[in-house]
Amino acid sequence: MKLYLLKPGKFNYRHHATVDPPGRSADHHMHMIASFNGLVCCINQLSDEHEVDYQIWICNPSTEETLLLPQGRPSVWTEPSIGVAYGPDISEYKIFRIFCVGKRNAGKGDYLYECEVYSSSTGAWRGIGPVLHLPMYVCFSPHRSGHVFAGGKIYWLVSLEDPAGIMLSVDMEENFEVMELPYYSTELREEDRITVATYLINLGGSPSLVVLHADYFDVWEWKEASWVFVIADEFDFMDFAEIVLFMTSSEKEILFVTDSHLWTYHLDTRKWKKRGRPPTRFTNPAIFPFTESLLP
């Protein structure tokens, strides 16, 4: 997996590192799912006939150090969801792993999910019991681990279904919460409601939703236990040739990664900027805020 740095403002690509730790499962691609305090969390798939699982790596691209986490409990029938939470201390983090333990009743399709937590302070997994939901697949992402960490909590999308989709959150103290997504009237056309191209981002420390429609998008921000509508605007690039593959934010800018370009949209000025082509054609790209660190 190749990592490139983009300096804010100019957005010039600079190759930073190639992550290929010894002992990784070479049959599958690595995917970066989080970045924090100079570290990145990567996963790559392991599988057999009945179990689908991941190796989980914590990597420091600047020092080329890698840490393979111990294997968690088996996940049956479906791959687990993974989320990364981190504290103010540069070496403090927790990995939450939601997995399937089987069916409640044989053949009924009623699956049971549990969560276990890996803590950087203990170096081991610890089970914390059942959870109600397994996070959903994120559009154009090859795994269920699309999440955002904001305001001290991890957030996952669970369902976009009418009348209101739901989101799952967990804090560093391991308390789970279920929240409804913003309401869209069922009288709207399907493409004007919540769509499968819905992305979670951290906008100024708050979890936010960017909902892509046919030729425009909406932005919602979670504030004081409710969704606040931020903005709706048109795409500058939606010619049906470019598909949004990943999204993140930096201050008041939202960064859209398509299969051929990087675009930014500024929430205050409502202006788009094309930031050029990637150094190589993107395959399952991920883009996160990152600060170089030489600390272990």
Side-chain angles (χ1 to χ4, degrees):
M1 183 180 67
K2 294 184 182 297
L3 295 179
Y4 294 85
L5 292 186
L6 290 157
K7 295 295 183 183
K10 293 183 179 180
F11 288 90
N12 294 325
Y13 291 89
R14 175 168 66 86
H15 182 255
H16 183 53
T18 299
V19 179
D20 189 16
R24 80 172 185 89
S25 173
D27 293 334
H28 301 278
H29 294 295
M30 293 193 80
H31 301 283
M32 181 167 61
I33 64 169
S35 169
F36 57 99
N37 299 335
L39 305 177
V40 297
C41 181
C42 304
I43 61 175
N44 68 307
Q45 188 174 321
L46 297 170
S47 62
D48 66 24
E49 187 176 355
H50 299 295
E51 298 171 4
V52 182
D53 216 332
Y54 297 111
Q55 287 181 324
I56 305 174
W57 296 88
I58 304 296
C59 307
N60 186 332
S62 300
T63 63
E64 299 186 1
E65 290 178 298
T66 59
L67 172 68
L68 175 62
L69 270 58
Q71 206 64 34
R73 287 176 55 194
S75 184
V76 183
W77 305 115
T78 185
E79 65 262 48
S81 290
I82 299 159
V84 182
Y86 47 96
D89 188 312
I90 197 167
S91 62
E92 179 186 7
Y93 60 88
K94 288 185 175 182
I95 312 291
F96 289 79
R97 182 176 173 274
I98 302 173
F99 58 99
C100 180
V101 295
K103 295 183 179 180
R104 193 187 311 273
N105 299 307
K108 297 288 186 180
D110 189 6
Y111 294 98
L112 296 173
Y113 305 110
E114 292 188 9
C115 183
E116 58 185 7
V117 180
Y118 176 91
S119 172
S120 58
S121 62
T122 65
W125 292 102
R126 176 173 51 86
I128 59 173
V131 293
L132 294 176
H133 302 285
L134 180 73
M136 60 178 278
Y137 285 106
V138 177
C139 194
F140 300 115
S141 179
H143 47 73
R144 294 179 182 269
S145 296
H147 67 287
V148 66
F149 182 71
K153 294 183 179 181
I154 299 173
Y155 296 87
W156 294 272
L157 291 172
V158 170
S159 170
L160 305 177
E161 309 237 333
D162 291 330
I166 56 174
M167 195 160 74
L168 183 68
S169 72
V170 65
D171 60 22
M172 286 288 280
E173 285 70 47
E174 303 166 10
N175 302 306
F176 279 90
E177 182 182 3
V178 175
M179 311 137 65
E180 288 192 348
L181 297 181
Y183 175 74
Y184 285 78
S185 171
T186 54
E187 296 179 2
L188 292 170
R189 297 180 306 169
E190 186 174 347
E191 60 266 32
D192 292 327
R193 295 180 239 157
I194 287 271
T195 71
V196 293
T198 296
Y199 292 83
L200 273 171
I201 62 172
N202 181 336
L203 199 58
S206 300
S208 301
L209 284 177
V210 181
V211 183
L212 308 187
H213 305 285
D215 52 7
Y216 69 100
F217 65 97
D218 303 329
V219 180
W220 298 81
E221 188 174 0
W222 182 257
K223 281 189 173 181
E224 298 177 359
S226 65
W227 288 106
V228 177
F229 181 76
V230 177
I231 200 170
D233 205 350
E234 296 180 349
F235 288 111
D236 202 32
F237 60 85
M238 189 54 73
D239 59 1
F240 301 102
E242 290 192 62
I243 298 172
V244 176
L245 301 177
F246 203 85
M247 194 182 301
T248 189
S249 61
S250 175
E251 302 294 337
K252 287 287 187 174
E253 279 189 317
I254 302 176
L255 285 74
F256 294 77
V257 182
T258 73
D259 56 346
S260 58
H261 289 93
L262 181 73
W263 296 79
T264 59
Y265 177 84
H266 202 287
L267 290 167
D268 288 343
T269 64
R270 298 173 68 111
K271 288 185 178 179
W272 288 94
K273 286 188 179 180
K274 183 189 285 188
R275 299 298 188 173
R277 294 179 178 273
T280 180
R281 190 169 181 84
F282 283 133
T283 302
N284 303 128
I287 181 166
F288 295 98
F290 176 76
T291 302
E292 295 180 73
S293 173
L294 298 177
L295 294 176

